[in-house]
Amino acid sequence: MSIKCRFCPIRNLPLFQPLTDAELGFMEDFKVGEMTVQPDTPILSSGAASPQLFTALKGFGLRYRLLSDGRRQVLSFVFPGDLIGLQAGVMNQMTHNVESTTAMTLCVFNRNELWTLFRNQPQRAYDLTWIAASEERFLGEALTAIGQKSALESVCWALARIYRRLEALHMDERKSVPLPYRQQDLADSLGLSLVHTNKTLAKLRSRQIASWSDGRLQVNDIQALEEMGLVDAIEPHNRPLM
Amino acid sequence: MSIKCRFCPIRNLPLFQPLTDAELGFMEDFKVGEMTVQPDTPILSSGAASPQLFTALKGFGLRYRLLSDGRRQVLSFVFPGDLIGLQAGVMNQMTHNVESTTAMTLCVFNRNELWTLFRNQPQRAYDLTWIAASEERFLGEALTAIGQKSALESVCWALARIYRRLEALHMDERKSVPLPYRQQDLADSLGLSLVHTNKTLAKLRSRQIASWSDGRLQVNDIQALEEMGLVDAIEPHNRPLM
DNA sequence: TTATCGTATGTCACAGTTTAATGCGCCTCC
DNA sequence: GGAGGCGCATTAAACTGTGACATACGATAA
C-alpha cells in the first residue's frame, strides 16, 4: 500500500523544499505506486525506454554505464530523495543503468503524466529542470575529480561528498554514515583500480582521517577530508523533492 | 541590431526541431539582444549569478572548471546551437566557467523571464529540461571515457563526437570540420598531459585515421574512429534550439 | 566442511607524466 | 627589413602514480 506524499518519511527534512497543498495534491495523482526491490535489482536499463520515473524513498543504489568489454563507470550513487529516470523520462532513451545496492523503496511516477506536469504545474517543471541541472553540476564535479585530481584527492573528494549528502539526510551518527557499497563501486566511480583504491583508503585510515568498514564510513575530520579532496565550498541549499 | 528568431541562421538545419509561430513569437520576446565577443572572452564565470542565458549562434567556446591550484578540467566544447548558462539560470549559481575560443555571436536571454517561460510555454520548458538532460548524458559519456578508456580510446571518442556534432551542423567539408582549439584544450578535456595527447594524435595521423592541424580536423574513416573510441551507436535525433 | 566473496597486502610492470629542448609561424619593435 | 619574443606543436629521456598479478585471510552461504 502506497504512502501518500503528504506522509512521505523524508519530505520534512530541512534539505527539501516544502510543497504547497496544490503541489502535494498533484504529486499524489502523479504517483502511481510504490515499489520495493531487493539488492542488486536492475531498476532502469540502458537502451530501454522506461514508462516510469522513480524517487528513492529508502535504500541505496547506483547509476552506471558499461563499455562493450564489460568495463563499468559508476556515474553516481543513489541516496534517498534522489530522482531516478529523468533522462529516460524526458529524452525517451536511457544511456545508463540504475540498480539497487541494498533493498530499496521507490515511489513510482508515470512518464505519460510528465507532459501534464509541465502544462499544469510550472513550479514542479521548474523543479525537474533544477534537478537535471543539479545532476549535471555533480557530473561536472566528478569529471574534474577523475580528470585532474590524484587518486588520494579523488577518494577524499568522493568520501567528503558522500558524507555531506548523508549528513543532510540526517543519516549521520557520531561522525559516521552508512555506506553499503563495495570498494569496487568506489573504484569504478573514480576510474581507479580496486587495489589502488584499497591502498588509498588504507592511507586515509592510517592518517586517522576516514575509515570505511562494515558498511559504514567514519569521518573523524570532515574539514581535513574536504581540504584534501579540494572540495569547493558549497552554500547550504535546499532542493526540490519529487 | 538583433536577428529575429524567425530569421535565425541555424534554426532550419534538420538537427533542430521546428518551432510553432507562438513559440517563435515568445522567443522573440524572451530574447533581449545579441552579443558578439572576441576570442578568449569570459562569458560566464564560476560563482557569479549571471542575469543572462545565451544561445551560441556562431563561433566556438568551452566550459571548464578550475581547481584552486590552477588545474583546469574542460567539461565540454561549445558549438553553434548550444545553450549556455542554464545551470546558472535555474540554480542561480554557476560552478563552471564559459569562455570563447573564437569570436562568437550569442543570442542573449533574460533570466528574469525564465519563470514566465515555465508558466506560459510548457513546451519550451520541456525543451529546457531536455537540453539539461542531454548535457547530463554527455557528461556521463565523458566521465566514462576519462574513467575507463585508455588515452587512445578517449582521444578517438572525443574526435568522433566532435566530428559528428559539427557534421550535424553541416559544417563538414570533404571529411573535415573546423576545430579552432589548442591541443592543451583537448588534453584538459580528457585528463591527459599535453605531451601524451600530442603523441596520441600523432599515432592517429600515422595510421591515417584522423589528423588535426591548422584549425581543422580531417577524419578519413569516421567508422574506424568511432570503433576505436568505443562510441555507442546513437540514434539520429533532432534537438530543441533555444 | 567447502566454496565464494570481499578486503588486504606485496611486488613488479607500464601507461602516462614531467622535464627539457627544438622548430616553426606570427607578431611586435627598432 | 631584420631581430627578438611569444605561443604552439613536436620529440626525447627520465620518472612515477597507478595497474596487474599473486597470495592470504575472514566472513558468509551452501
Side-chain angles (χ1 to χ4, degrees), chain B residues 99-163:
Chain B
E99 84 178 19
S100 63
T101 299
T102 67
M104 296 183 79
T105 302
L106 305 164
C107 292
V108 184
F109 305 107
N110 211 4
R111 181 182 171 269
N112 289 343
E113 297 301 315
L114 206 53
W115 180 231
T116 304
L117 180 147
F118 271 85
R119 274 196 285 108
N120 295 346
Q121 293 287 332
Q123 179 59 58
R124 293 269 72 191
Y126 193 93
D127 289 342
L128 274 182
T129 312
W130 191 100
I131 289 171
S134 169
E135 286 171 9
E136 182 193 337
R137 179 162 92 169
F138 174 80
L139 288 174
E141 255 192 82
L143 202 62
T144 306
I146 298 189
Q148 299 300 323
K149 293 177 182 179
S150 67
L152 182 61
E153 289 170 337
S154 293
V155 170
C156 290
W157 170 80
L159 295 184
R161 292 294 262 112
I162 285 167
Y163 186 86

Side-chain angles (χ1 to χ4, degrees), chain A residues 97-131:
Chain A
N97 308 269
V98 187
E99 84 179 17
S100 63
T101 298
T102 67
M104 296 183 79
T105 303
L106 305 164
C107 293
V108 185
F109 305 108
N110 212 3
R111 183 182 170 270
N112 289 344
E113 296 301 313
L114 206 53
W115 181 232
T116 304
L117 180 148
F118 271 84
R119 272 195 287 108
N120 296 346
Q121 293 286 333
Q123 178 60 56
R124 292 269 73 193
Y126 192 94
D127 289 342
L128 275 181
T129 312
W130 191 100
I131 290 172

Side-chain angles (χ1 to χ4, degrees), chain A residues 65 71-73 90 95 118 122 126 129-130 135-137 139 141 144 147-148 153 191 230 232 235, chain B residues 65 71-73 90 93 95 118 122 126 129-130 135-137 139 141 144 147-148 153 191 230 232:
Chain A
R65 294 173 70 108
R71 280 177 278 170
R72 181 183 73 156
Q73 177 62 43
V90 171
T95 56
F118 271 84
Y126 192 94
T129 312
W130 191 100
E135 286 172 9
E136 182 191 338
R137 180 162 90 171
L139 288 174
E141 252 193 84
T144 306
Q148 298 302 324
E153 289 170 337
L230 304 176
D232 285 326
E235 296 178 12
Chain B
R65 292 173 71 108
R71 281 176 278 171
R72 180 184 73 157
Q73 177 63 41
V90 170
Q93 190 181 33
T95 55
F118 271 85
Y126 193 93
T129 312
W130 191 100
E135 286 171 9
E136 182 193 337
R137 179 162 92 169
L139 288 174
E141 255 192 82
T144 306
Q148 299 300 323
E153 289 170 337
L230 302 177
D232 285 325

Side-chain angles (χ1 to χ4, degrees), chain A residues 36-41 100-104:
Chain A
T36 300
V37 295
Q38 294 306 309
D40 302 317
T41 302
S100 63
T101 298
T102 67
M104 296 183 79

Side-chain angles (χ1 to χ4, degrees), chain A residues 154-165:
Chain A
S154 292
V155 169
C156 289
W157 168 81
L159 295 184
R161 292 293 263 113
I162 285 168
Y163 187 86
R164 288 299 193 189
R165 285 180 66 198

Side-chain angles (χ1 to χ4, degrees), chain B residues 45-65:
Chain B
S45 296
S46 173
S50 170
Q52 293 161 335
L53 290 82
F54 313 89
T55 293
L57 263 192
K58 258 174 63 180
F60 296 81
L62 47 72
R63 300 181 181 87
Y64 65 95
R65 292 173 71 108

Side-chain angles (χ1 to χ4, degrees), chain A residues 207-233:
Chain A
R207 295 189 196 183
Q208 298 192 339
I209 292 178
S211 64
W212 177 17
S213 62
D214 300 313
R216 289 195 75 86
L217 171 65
Q218 175 86 24
V219 176
N220 302 321
D221 190 344
I222 184 64
Q223 269 85 31
L225 192 64
E226 282 177 332
E227 188 170 334
M228 287 174 70
L230 304 176
V231 177
D232 285 326

